[in-house]
Amino acid sequence: REFASIEEIPDHLENAFIAVEDSRFRTHNGIDPKGIVRAAVVGITSGDFSQGASTITQQLIKNSVFPNFVQETKMEKVERKVQEWYLAVQIEKVVEKDDILESYLNTINLGQNTLGVQAASKRYFGKNVADLTLSEAVTIAGITKSPNGYNPISNPEKNMERRTKVLGDMLEQGFITQEEHDEALADDVYTRIQAYNATYAESQ
């Protein structure tokens, strides 16, 4: 882990995470009722309850307060979720959005033994987070859902699918233009990642 202040983190990286993880982050009070209802409807109609409805604030709490709750009964999971909701609302009463986002972006697991966007930026691209292009930023944002499954080194095809979704979400939510979307999508970022990874491996 290597800390990066919110001022060092480029807007397009912040917006990539917000677009794909919590589109109403800037306006909700810690929980997202619309997201909860959407996830419940999908679960009831399809039987797939894997869609998350956790806000960035809830994810920060889960990573910081409940990091070891991986094997839970259904009742324990419900109890933890209610605790997350309560704590998220309380935190947002006293902590600014930018401070919550800064903490989140410095603590999330982004694969390859990295925690936070600065460590991930250096591991995958050999550069500081402030220097990430839009294409590189969405690649990192795409890892969050599954640090192993969407790892751009070991699973570039899966990461590419997720990266495409992140760019689509950013376009739909007005964070980027069509031209920026198309340019980022056309960037062969994975060749650079593999090249840097080879250099990194030789240095270890």
Side-chain angles (χ1 to χ4, degrees), residues 50-131:
S50 63
Q51 275 208 20
S54 292
T55 63
I56 282 175
T57 312
Q58 287 175 247
Q59 291 182 48
L60 175 61
I61 291 167
K62 183 178 180 180
N63 293 339
S64 304
V65 181
F66 304 114
N68 299 318
F69 282 66
V70 290
Q71 302 215 341
E72 303 170 292
T73 65
K74 285 185 178 180
M75 283 306 299
E76 287 171 337
K77 189 170 185 177
V78 169
E79 181 180 359
R80 176 179 57 78
K81 185 60 68 175
V82 171
Q83 290 172 329
E84 280 181 20
W85 290 341
Y86 173 79
L87 289 172
V89 172
Q90 298 309 310
I91 284 174
E92 293 234 5
K93 289 179 180 177
V94 295
V95 182
E96 296 291 334
K97 290 283 187 180
D98 278 350
D99 293 331
I100 292 170
L101 188 60
E102 181 182 78
S103 295
Y104 170 78
L105 293 174
N106 277 289
T107 55
I108 47 176
N109 180 356
L110 290 167
Q112 299 295 131
N113 297 315
T114 64
L115 293 175
V117 292
Q118 173 72 337
S121 179
K122 288 190 171 181
R123 177 62 186 86
Y124 295 115
F125 299 104
K127 61 170 67 173
N128 287 318
V129 67
D131 299 322

Side-chain angles (χ1 to χ4, degrees), residues 163-175:
R163 174 173 169 262
T164 300
K165 173 175 170 46
V166 178
L167 281 168
D169 288 351
M170 292 184 77
L171 178 62
E172 183 180 336
Q173 295 169 35
F175 287 123

